[in-house]
């Protein structure tokens, strides 16, 4: 009798945890395949530290091959699911196409940057969902400060030293907090003319920073940001983005060369084409994470609308904490469907939240106890070390080095602006010149209901027109 074939699509928090748990539970009695565009699991909470040079990029990336020894890794992006035929079509990094057959399917494709119909945002803003975007932002911010230090025009210098972050949730708050500290350190080495200082603006239409968290954590973060010099503007967002800057909803035009888009996430577009019921773009599942009418298909993480059993009528929020635990629950229920163990409904009690504000500052509420200052900073770093599935010693070493040595600030020139478009369905991949051209692919579904679509970023179109930002500063290597 052949072994059951389990295919997991996506290696984010949910997919990685599902693969690791199934690998341990199956004990070699099932063929487990993990389909993912990259060969690493990205620990997203540390991405802001990568963007400011505090952590080396590989510290936030855990090798899938090294951590999941009994799981077959297939590099590629899923761009078609035939639910009747029980197959997943994918495109590999070199443009080749392949098909994976399954007996059980776990969809853990995650989320991508949330887009809003605001003129100019898609063309001039950059998101913050993957390593390429973090590396681009680090180079871009460094370049702006270095160019400002050599510029004789005070207006241009001010433009380069102004950074706008939209979205005061977890990501936007941490990017602004770390970014202000980073640019302050840069200007000490490359001081702009006429005493111009870096200016960071954090915008959100919400009434307060971190609106999804307890008001005490919100107040702590707001206080740290303002004390550090970040301009926190609540009830304000972007009305239009241009090459010269952004027009705010309050009528002010802010001249800037940097617009970081952190307004939130949306489910991966792949689930839209499965032909199955959706809830605000997320695939509807039951409390056991199974797709109704498709008992062989499970979904978890940001792309799944998982019922919150503690709040009837609502779904669990799209957070890493839920995705991590749903991945384990999905694995347990997949194993139960194959006769190993018993299935369990997903239920989770929040253990608290941590928000890293840079330096020794943080906001945290472990087990509901609100903390701030260095104590919260220590709790936050301890939490991340405990939660990471690998690289703990290397991360701790980088933190130690940052505490005793000056931070390195150089442009690596690895990622250009056209490589990380805001509207990509694959923020984990940078577009490369000469990559495969986009082409229509079969995407969803079941038999005759299958449609065609451009896929989920499975191709890498050649770059568009080169922007000024793509040209290295004089003397750059």
């Amino acid at each position: 009798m052949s072994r059951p074939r389990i295919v997991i699509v996506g290696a984010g928090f949910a997919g990685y945890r599902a693969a690791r748990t199934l690998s341990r539970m199956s004990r070699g009695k099932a063929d487990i395949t993990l389909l993912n565009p990259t060969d690493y699991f990205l620990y997203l909470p540390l991405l802001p530290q990568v963007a400011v040079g505090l952590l080396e990029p590989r510290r936030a990336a855990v090798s899938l091959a090294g951590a999941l020894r009994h799981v077959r890794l297939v590099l590629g992006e899923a761009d078609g699911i035939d639910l009747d035929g029980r197959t997943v079509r994918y495109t590999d990094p070199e443009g080749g196409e392949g098909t994976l057959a399954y007996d059980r399917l776990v969809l853990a494709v995650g989320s991508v940057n949330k887009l809003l119909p605001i003129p100019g945002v898609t063309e001039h803003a950059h998101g913050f969902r993957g390593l390429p975007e973090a590396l681009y932002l680090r180079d871009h911010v460094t370049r702006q400060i270095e160019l400002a230090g050599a510029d004789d025009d005070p207006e241009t210098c001010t433009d380069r030293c102004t950074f706008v972050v939209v979205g005061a949730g977890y990501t936007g708050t941490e990017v602004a907090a770390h970014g202000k500290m980073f640019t302050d350190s840069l200007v000490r080495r490359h001081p702009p003319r006429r005493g111009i200082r870096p200016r960071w603006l954090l915008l959100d239409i919400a009434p307060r920073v971190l609106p999804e968290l307890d008001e005490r954590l919100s107040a702590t973060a707001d206080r740290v940001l303002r004390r550090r010099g970040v301009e926190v503007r609540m009830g304000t967002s972007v009305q239009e983005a241009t090459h010269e800057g952004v027009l705010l909803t309050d009528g002010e035009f802010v001249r800037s060369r940097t617009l970081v888009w952190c307004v939130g996430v949306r489910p991966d577009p792949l689930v839209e084409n499965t032909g199955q019921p959706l809830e605000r773009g997320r695939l509807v599942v039951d409390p056991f994470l199974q797709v109704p009418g498709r008992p062989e298909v499970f979904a978890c993480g940001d792309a799944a609308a998982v019922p919150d059993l503690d709040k009837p009528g609502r779904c669990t929020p799209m957070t890493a904490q839920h995705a991590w635990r749903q991945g384990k629950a999905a694995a347990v229920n997949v194993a139960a469907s194959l006769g190993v163990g018993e299935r369990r409904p997903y239920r989770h009690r929040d253990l608290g939240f941590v928000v890293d504000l840079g330096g020794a500052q943080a906001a945290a509420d472990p087990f509901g106890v609100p903390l701030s200052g260095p104590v919260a900073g220590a709790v936050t770093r301890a939490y991340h070390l405990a939660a990471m599935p690998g690289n703990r010693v290397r991360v701790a070493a980088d933190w130690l080095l940052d505490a005793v040595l000056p931070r390195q600030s150089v442009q690596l020139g690895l990622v250009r602006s056209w490589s990380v478009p805001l509207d990509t369905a694959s923020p984990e991949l940078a577009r490369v010149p000469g990559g495969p051209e986009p082409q229509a692919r079969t995407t969803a579904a079941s038999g005759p209901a299958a449609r065609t679509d451009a896929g989920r970023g499975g191709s890498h179109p050649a770059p568009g027109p080169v922007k000024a930002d793509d040209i290295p500063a004089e003397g750059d290597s």
Side-chain angles (χ1 to χ4, degrees):
M1 182 177 179
S2 61
R3 298 190 299 180
R5 300 163 298 179
I6 304 171
V7 172
I8 302 169
V9 182
F13 280 90
Y16 176 88
R17 187 79 185 279
R20 191 174 74 172
T21 304
L22 277 169
S23 175
R24 293 173 176 175
M25 294 185 68
S26 68
R27 299 177 181 177
K29 297 180 180 179
D31 291 326
I32 304 171
T33 300
L34 179 61
L35 175 65
N36 197 58
T38 65
D39 63 353
Y40 60 82
F41 158 75
L42 177 62
Y43 188 74
L44 274 169
L46 294 183
L47 208 56
Q49 298 186 30
V50 172
V52 298
L54 196 161
L55 291 180
E56 199 270 336
R58 287 179 297 177
R59 304 296 183 254
V62 177
S63 168
L64 294 175
L68 304 173
R69 298 185 181 277
H70 302 293
V71 175
R72 175 194 174 206
L73 173 64
V74 174
L75 289 179
E77 296 181 85
D79 43 29
I81 300 175
D82 183 350
L83 296 179
D84 287 343
R86 296 193 179 188
T87 59
V88 177
R89 293 185 58 198
Y90 68 92
T91 302
D92 68 29
E94 296 182 343
E97 296 186 349
T99 302
L100 298 173
Y102 66 83
D103 297 303
R104 297 292 184 274
L105 174 66
V106 180
L107 286 174
V109 289
S111 54
V112 298
N113 293 309
K114 182 179 180 180
L115 303 178
L116 297 176
I118 299 175
V121 164
T122 301
E123 294 80 11
H124 301 287
H126 291 283
F128 201 78
R129 291 290 298 165
L131 274 179
E133 292 169 321
L135 293 175
Y136 165 76
L137 183 62
R138 186 175 70 178
D139 272 6
H140 172 78
V141 170
T142 304
R143 179 164 51 249
Q144 297 309 304
I145 296 297
E146 291 176 348
L147 291 175
D151 204 312
D152 291 323
D153 180 10
E155 185 176 277
T156 302
C157 183
T158 300
D159 296 352
R160 293 190 183 281
C161 289
T162 301
F163 307 91
V164 180
V165 180
V166 186
Y170 289 103
T171 303
T173 298
E174 292 189 344
V175 168
H178 280 279
K180 185 61 167 64
M181 291 185 66
F182 181 48
T183 52
D184 284 349
S185 68
L186 288 175
V187 297
R188 287 194 286 270
R189 298 173 223 176
H190 305 279
R193 305 294 175 90
R194 297 175 177 82
I196 296 173
R197 304 295 298 175
R199 179 190 182 195
W200 283 78
L201 289 82
L202 179 62
L203 315 175
D204 203 306
I205 58 174
R208 59 186 175 88
V209 173
L210 300 170
E212 65 272 28
L213 296 189
D214 181 87
E215 290 189 11
R216 290 170 294 184
L217 295 186
S218 175
T220 296
D222 187 277
R223 183 173 60 253
V224 171
L225 290 169
R226 293 180 189 273
R227 188 169 61 231
R228 195 167 288 167
V230 177
E231 297 181 33
V232 180
R233 298 197 183 183
M234 296 296 95
T236 305
S237 189
V238 174
Q239 182 173 319
E240 182 180 2
T242 70
H243 181 68
E244 290 75 29
V246 293
L247 176 64
L248 306 185
T249 53
D250 61 8
E252 179 183 356
F253 186 81
V254 177
R255 298 186 63 86
S256 172
R257 303 291 180 89
T258 308
L259 179 58
V260 187
W261 194 253
C262 303
V263 298
V265 295
R266 59 192 171 98
D268 190 293
L270 178 69
V271 300
E272 298 176 2
N273 297 312
T274 58
Q276 301 300 303
L278 303 177
E279 172 67 27
R280 296 185 178 181
R282 302 164 74 185
L283 195 61
V284 172
V285 297
D286 63 21
F288 299 95
L289 308 181
Q290 287 179 293
V291 175
R294 298 283 180 178
E296 75 283 358
V297 180
F298 298 75
C300 51
D302 288 355
V306 180
D308 190 333
L309 298 183
D310 295 323
K311 299 176 182 177
R314 299 176 62 179
C315 295
T316 58
M318 298 166 66
T319 66
Q321 194 173 125
H322 278 290
W324 183 251
R325 288 160 177 79
Q326 287 171 9
K328 180 178 180 179
V332 168
N333 291 332
V334 167
S337 73
L338 296 172
V340 178
E342 297 181 0
R343 68 176 192 158
R344 304 172 187 171
Y346 176 73
R347 177 177 270 110
H348 169 62
R349 181 176 65 87
D350 288 334
L351 302 178
F353 298 91
V354 295
V355 182
D356 183 8
L357 300 174
Q361 298 297 317
D365 65 342
F367 303 103
V369 179
L371 301 173
S372 61
V375 174
V379 169
T380 297
R381 291 198 167 184
Y383 170 81
H384 288 317
L385 286 180
M388 286 195 70
N391 296 348
R392 296 186 183 96
V393 174
R394 291 185 171 92
V395 169
D398 274 8
W399 285 341
L400 177 61
L401 290 174
D402 183 71
V404 299
L405 297 175
R407 194 174 303 180
Q408 293 177 304
S409 57
V410 294
Q411 297 180 55
L412 299 179
L414 299 177
V415 182
R416 295 303 186 187
S417 61
W418 49 260
S419 299
V420 284
L422 182 65
D423 60 350
T424 179
S426 300
E428 64 271 25
L429 294 177
R431 292 185 179 180
V432 295
E437 292 295 330
Q439 55 181 307
R441 307 189 194 283
T442 301
T443 54
S446 343
R451 296 176 287 174
T452 59
D453 190 82
R456 50 181 298 264
S459 53
H460 307 285
V466 176
K467 300 180 182 179
D469 188 51
D470 295 329
I471 303 174
E474 185 176 353
D476 288 346
S477 57

